[in-house]
Amino acid sequence: MPELVLELNGRTWTLDPSRPYTLGRDPQGDIVLDDARVSWRHATISWSGRSWVIEDHGSTNGTFVRGHRIHHLEIGPGSAVHLGNATDGPRVELSGSTASVASPQAQPQQQPYAAQGAQAGWAQQAPAQQAPEQQAPQAGWQQQPAPVPQQQGPGPGAGAPPVYGDRSPTTFHQFSIGRVMRIGRALENELVVSDLQVSRHHAEFHSTPDGRMEIRDLGSHNGTYVNGQPIAKGGSQLLGATDIVGVGHSTFRIVGDRLEEFVDTGEVSFSARHLTVTVDGGKQILKDVSFGVPEKSLVAVIGPSGSGKSTLLKALTGYRPANQGDVLYDNRNLYKQFAELRQRIGLVPQDDILHKELTVKKALKYAAKLRFPADTTAAERESRIDEVLRELKLDIHKEKKVTSLSGGQRKRVSVALELLTKPSLIFLDEPTSGLDPGMDRDVMQLLRGLADDGRTVLVVTHSVAELALCDKLLVMAPGGAVAYFGPPEEALNFFGYDTWADVFSAFENYRDYDWAGRWKGSQHYQMYAADIDAIAPQSVQVPPMQAMKPPKPQSWMSQFVTLVRRYTAVIVSDKGFLALMVILPGVLGAVSLLIDSGRGLLPNPPNPQTGRIIPNGTATTVLLILAVGACFAGAANSVRELIKERVIYERERATGLSRSAYLMSKVFVLGVITVLQGLMVGVIGLSSREIPKEGLVLGNLTLLELSLPIMALGFTSMMFGLIISALVKTAEKTMPLLVMFAIIQVVFTGCLFALNGSIGANQISYLMPSRWAVGAAGATLDFNKISPPGEGESADPLWENTVGAWTMDMAALIVLGVVCGIFVARFLRRHEPEVMRK
């Protein structure tokens, strides 16, 4: 077995084939390099049985041979390896001590793109010049592949520990038996973590007498995680040698008798490996997508309609996990550790994720209140908000309403909202949609600055004007496959066209062409994606539901109070809506006054000749008008509320928002408004008419007793409106459903025709809130006397002038409202990240 001589910085090592040698900054390694560009455990040189090989362990800055980054390569005498930088990184020179040393094989022969194209003699042929069965788009290159480095084994990070690749720990902490080390934001902790997502007293490490380690959660708000899974609030878990503890943006690992801390400062790698999404029927809308995003980079995703861009974004963020494949956040599986890693990922949807009626400062204030732990002070939140506003140059606009800002400025506010929690990875969906070219450039320059400041940014866009600002470009082909991944400046030359319009036309004209196959057979694939694609795909196994349920940063009551305050502020700031809330019930109540003005709502005296009671049609008509008005007002208040905030809810739910707290905040605020409107309708419509002096339940407060069913009807109709709002896909569909709901309520009040005894119609009417509301009011007014049943008809039991009938009618209204709330909560689940619904 031959020996190999390694020379570095004037020192020489003779390597023994019987053992491997580690290179890096770790003082306990075999060959130590004191250079910041070199990772802690950078690479290993070992004898494979037939030759010497060097293997990169997913190093941050890479290992290079002849200017090209390698991951697993055979080496030998005469080889030169650069660590951390292709040109001026530490240079390792290799030579042999005996003649039997294996000669180097598969040395990189790649050349820059332009040289490759000239050397290979690529020929461009138009489709019309080819035989029909061989027709391909204009970009159908005929090329001779150049020699490439031999890739043997997995790509970057395959053998690396699962904490930030192989980066060196930020700090070390020594353990001793029986010692307790507490973690938190407060200065009195042994491990102080200056992260607003961490509670003041978050968790603590225990060293047990038998030498084992334990992590104990101290009731933290955002949770303590072991291997990406949350431990019970206030619970504890024993730690093994390979376990990783996550607290906010910090990760801890126990190595021997010391605790290593890794702080996520934003410099993270991100990769997608063999992502495939299949929908019902077996159709693949995303096909074997693999690419790697280097840290602190800006990556754009473009492609024609139907190329799977939105599906890819959902797969990358965990909103809709791929059926097959992995998404790795610095070598950590995002799907399996979503509960923890979701806090480090920001997502800016195409629609603004903020309430436009609020000022910029106030919108961020409520967002910070919901996302940060309950023990953060107002001063801490204010400081972070001001810091983000200054960073995005929004401080001069902080007191302006979001509606008064330009499109580009509104997008900055959406980005600012996501930056509050200092995410390391930011996704944006069509951030320049609808913007003019100047604003398009401003937004892309903003994203470029975010990447330069230490974040990884991925943007899905239709705009191709500012692609030169990006580090990498991912082009999706029709059908959801990758057509190109690499530097944006080389993309058009790769496709063989002068403009992106020509490229997209080629996609459309040659939809059956194997764009993915052409990409995988290209030099660019070998240079920019082969190492990522070399990893075998894995089926996604999402942990069970109880393990995926993320902790909430705030208690239920705290979230509820914050949401109520925010919703109230939104309503108060909308002067038009406020005016409508007052005018609508006033008009509806006043309309009823036009019907036989001044006539009472009491039974008519019997006919002296026949002895039969003449029906009082005014009473039933007035009650019909009031009931329809309450139905319409209540449903109109809520029918748009959930659909207009759907994008906001989806994003906030992913960050820990309680579904029930969100729903109850809507029910509470809208319920108060609707009940007051119902009171207005009842008082205006009934106060000027003669009504019974004594009610069934409230004695001489007959007016209030008659108004209560109107108020309850408005509330239950408001709950029906929330069901409509949760079901529809667009706000435009709410109005037809609102009108249909109001008409149905008119039919089933029982005022137009007798429902009691009508088979089918009477049973259906029990599902209608107007039936029970009119029944309760009719019981107080004694409708069986006001509108007595005809011959062969029986009295309506819902109108019986008894306390029992009134109570049953009101109870049925309340039950209907509760059932509607349950349905709304179930329908809201459809608008949450799918990984949270497993």
Side-chain angles (χ1 to χ4, degrees):
M1 292 188 295
E3 293 179 336
L4 188 68
V5 176
L6 183 151
E7 296 184 20
L8 173 66
N9 295 333
R11 298 186 58 189
T12 301
W13 290 262
T14 301
L15 308 188
D16 184 349
S18 64
R19 53 161 296 202
Y21 292 83
T22 61
L23 293 78
R25 296 204 328 272
D26 186 357
Q28 300 179 0
D30 298 299
I31 301 170
V32 182
L33 297 91
D34 186 16
D35 191 301
R37 294 168 295 180
V38 178
S39 295
W40 193 252
R41 302 174 185 88
H42 195 104
T44 299
I45 296 179
S46 61
W47 173 254
S48 67
R50 68 184 185 91
S51 64
W52 288 92
V53 294
I54 183 168
E55 180 177 0
D56 183 282
H57 288 301
S59 63
T60 302
N61 294 313
T63 302
F64 301 86
V65 174
R66 295 192 180 181
H68 294 279
R69 187 165 185 168
I70 60 94
H71 300 288
H72 189 105
L73 188 68
E74 295 183 5
I75 55 175
S79 298
V81 179
H82 284 276
L83 305 178
N85 188 283
T87 56
D88 61 354
R91 178 185 174 92
V92 177
E93 296 185 351
L94 304 171
S95 59
S97 61
T98 69
S100 59
V101 174
S103 60
Q105 300 182 24
Q107 292 295 328
Q109 299 295 325
Q110 293 182 344
Q111 298 176 359
Y113 177 86
Q116 290 175 355
Q119 190 177 41
W122 292 345
Q124 181 178 344
Q125 299 180 3
Q129 296 172 321
Q130 301 176 20
E133 66 273 16
Q134 296 177 335
Q135 280 195 1
Q138 183 180 2
W141 295 109
Q142 307 296 319
Q143 62 186 59
Q144 300 291 331
V148 297
Q150 182 177 350
Q151 298 289 338
Q152 301 175 343
V163 184
Y164 304 125
D166 63 350
R167 294 190 180 94
S168 58
T170 308
T171 55
F172 299 98
H173 308 278
Q174 206 67 30
F175 260 124
S176 59
I177 295 178
R179 185 181 177 188
V180 176
M181 297 186 71
R182 191 168 55 183
I183 313 168
R185 213 172 65 248
L187 296 178
E188 61 265 23
N189 293 287
E190 286 79 10
L191 299 176
V192 179
V193 179
S194 57
D195 182 352
L196 288 183
Q197 289 190 300
V198 176
S199 299
R200 293 184 61 82
H201 301 99
H202 196 102
E204 58 187 19
F205 284 98
H206 287 256
S207 176
T208 60
D210 60 357
R212 304 181 69 183
M213 297 296 177
E214 180 186 57
I215 182 67
R216 181 178 302 167
D217 183 83
L218 299 178
S220 64
H221 297 279
N222 277 318
T224 304
Y225 301 82
V226 176
N227 300 325
Q229 303 304 312
I231 64 176
K233 194 168 187 176
S236 61
Q237 183 171 331
L238 288 172
L239 301 175
T242 60
D243 288 335
I244 301 166
V245 176
V247 173
H249 284 76
S250 295
T251 308
F252 300 88
R253 178 176 57 187
I254 296 172
V255 179
D257 61 348
R258 72 181 184 182
L259 182 69
E260 296 183 348
E261 178 183 1
F262 301 79
V263 179
D264 185 347
T265 57
E267 297 181 348
V268 298
S269 62
F270 184 79
S271 62
R273 294 178 177 175
H274 301 280
L275 297 184
T276 299
V277 174
T278 306
V279 295
D280 296 338
K283 180 182 178 181
Q284 289 186 343
I285 56 178
L286 204 64
K287 298 179 181 178
D288 197 28
V289 174
S290 298
F291 64 95
V293 180
E295 60 187 46
K296 296 201 307 184
S297 62
L298 174 59
V299 179
V301 180
I302 65 172
S305 300
S307 59
K309 299 188 300 296
S310 297
T311 302
L312 175 63
L313 188 65
K314 292 178 180 178
L316 294 176
T317 56
Y319 272 57
R320 200 289 187 193
N323 301 100
Q324 189 180 47
D326 299 291
V327 176
L328 300 182
Y329 178 101
D330 237 17
N331 296 325
R332 301 178 66 184
N333 192 301
L334 175 64
Y335 297 158
K336 296 180 180 179
Q337 302 186 28
F338 181 79
E340 177 187 355
L341 296 179
R342 67 188 174 91
Q343 303 179 50
R344 309 185 190 183
I345 296 176
L347 173 62
V348 181
Q350 182 174 348
D351 298 323
D352 293 326
I353 50 176
L354 36 85
H355 293 86
K356 299 178 182 179
E357 301 83 0
L358 301 178
T359 64
V360 172
K361 184 76 174 283
K362 190 169 287 188
L364 295 182
K365 171 186 171 184
Y366 286 117
K369 179 70 173 171
L370 287 172
R371 298 192 182 192
F372 290 141
D375 61 5
T376 53
T377 64
E380 288 176 312
R381 294 193 297 270
E382 285 277 328
S383 175
R384 179 58 189 154
I385 291 170
D386 290 340
E387 182 182 346
V388 170
L389 289 174
R390 286 193 300 271
E391 180 180 0
L392 298 183
K393 298 180 176 59
L394 287 169
D395 46 339
I396 60 174
H397 304 294
K398 63 182 180 181
E399 299 303 332
K400 295 180 182 178
K401 284 189 176 182
V402 177
T403 50
S404 67
L405 302 179
S406 66
Q409 290 168 342
R410 283 202 300 271
K411 192 59 63 177
R412 283 177 178 264
V413 178
S414 293
V415 173
L417 190 150
E418 290 299 308
L419 290 185
L420 288 175
T421 54
K422 296 185 178 181
S424 302
L425 185 62
I426 302 177
F427 293 92
L428 300 100
D429 187 11
E430 299 287 353
T432 60
S433 178
L435 302 183
D436 61 47
M439 290 184 180
D440 181 357
R441 180 180 58 194
D442 290 343
V443 171
M444 291 301 292
Q445 287 177 341
L446 166 67
L447 302 184
R448 177 70 264 171
L450 293 178
D452 292 339
D453 287 342
R455 305 174 184 93
T456 301
V457 182
L458 188 145
V459 53
V460 174
T461 181
H462 276 109
S463 174
V464 296
E466 304 297 332
L467 294 180
L469 292 172
C470 302
D471 298 295
K472 291 289 189 295
L473 175 64
L474 176 67
V475 182
M476 300 294 292
V482 177
Y484 173 83
F485 179 72
E489 62 270 16
E490 299 178 10
L492 286 175
N493 198 9
F494 171 83
F495 287 107
Y497 292 104
D498 295 327
T499 67
W500 283 109
D502 293 332
V503 175
F504 279 41
S505 295
F507 284 149
E508 180 64 29
N509 296 333
Y510 304 99
R511 298 186 71 89
D512 295 331
Y513 180 68
D514 186 10
W515 296 98
R518 175 179 176 274
W519 155 244
K520 290 187 176 181
S522 69
Q523 291 289 324
H524 281 75
Y525 172 78
Q526 296 294 338
M527 294 171 65
Y528 302 117
D531 54 342
I532 295 292
D533 218 13
I535 308 298
Q538 303 175 19
S539 296
V540 176
Q541 296 180 351
V542 180
M545 180 178 174
Q546 61 269 23
M548 289 303 301
K549 187 177 181 181
K552 299 176 179 61
Q554 301 273 337
S555 66
W556 188 95
M557 182 55 68
S558 178
Q559 287 195 9
F560 172 75
V561 171
T562 301
L563 290 167
V564 167
R565 291 179 59 193
R566 182 176 71 177
Y567 192 28
T568 303
V570 169
I571 291 176
V572 170
S573 63
D574 190 344
K575 307 301 181 185
F577 184 68
L578 278 176
L580 186 62
M581 284 193 303
V582 175
I583 295 172
L584 180 62
V587 171
L588 294 174
V591 167
S592 67
L593 298 177
L594 302 177
I595 302 170
D596 291 335
S597 178
R599 188 167 183 184
L601 305 181
L602 300 176
N604 288 324
N607 188 314
Q609 297 179 352
T610 64
R612 293 182 58 83
I613 297 176
I614 301 174
N616 183 355
T618 300
T620 54
T621 304
V622 168
L623 206 56
L624 172 65
I625 296 297
L626 296 180
V628 172
C631 282
F632 187 82
N637 285 340
S638 62
V639 77
R640 287 177 177 263
E641 287 307 304
L642 298 183
I643 180 63
K644 77 179 184 181
E645 289 188 3
R646 182 161 297 171
V647 176
I648 298 175
Y649 173 75
E650 289 177 354
R651 182 65 194 125
E652 291 185 342
R653 178 64 177 147
T655 61
L657 179 70
S658 167
R659 183 195 316 132
S660 59
Y662 175 79
L663 176 58
M664 288 307 298
S665 71
K666 295 291 184 185
V667 172
F668 178 80
V669 176
L670 291 175
V672 170
I673 294 172
T674 304
V675 166
L676 291 176
Q677 287 178 326
L679 181 61
M680 273 185 73
V681 170
V683 170
I684 293 174
L686 299 173
S687 60
S688 64
R689 298 182 185 271
E690 187 180 2
I691 57 177
K693 294 182 180 180
E694 290 288 331
L696 292 172
V697 179
L698 301 181
N700 58 0
L701 298 177
T702 310
L703 180 60
L704 179 59
E705 185 176 313
L706 287 172
S707 298
L708 282 176
I710 304 299
M711 296 156 67
L713 174 59
F715 181 86
T716 305
S717 299
M718 179 267 294
M719 297 301 295
F720 272 91
L722 288 178
I723 288 182
I724 295 173
S725 192
L727 283 175
V728 296
K729 293 184 178 180
T730 61
E732 289 74 17
K733 295 180 180 179
T734 58
M735 295 312 296
L737 293 174
L738 173 62
V739 173
M740 183 177 69
F741 172 76
I743 292 175
I744 291 175
Q745 299 311 305
V746 172
V747 174
F748 287 100
T749 55
C751 296
L752 297 180
F753 61 92
L755 288 170
N756 185 48
S758 178
I759 304 301
N762 191 37
Q763 285 70 34
I764 293 175
S765 72
Y766 293 154
L767 300 176
M768 306 300 162
S770 62
R771 173 77 161 112
W772 298 100
V774 171
T780 299
L781 295 172
D782 199 358
F783 258 26
N784 282 326
K785 286 186 178 180
I786 287 179
S787 182
E791 293 185 8
E793 297 178 350
S794 58
D796 194 329
L798 273 62
W799 292 355
E800 290 291 336
N801 187 231
T802 63
V803 173
W806 189 92
T807 304
M808 180 184 69
D809 293 335
M810 293 297 292
L813 269 175
I814 296 173
V815 169
L816 277 176
V818 171
V819 171
C820 287
I822 294 172
F823 275 107
V824 175
R826 296 296 297 176
F827 294 147
L828 278 176
R829 291 185 71 250
R830 303 185 311 162
H831 309 298
E832 300 172 3
E834 186 170 324
V835 72
M836 296 175 66
R837 290 185 272 133
K838 291 291 185 179

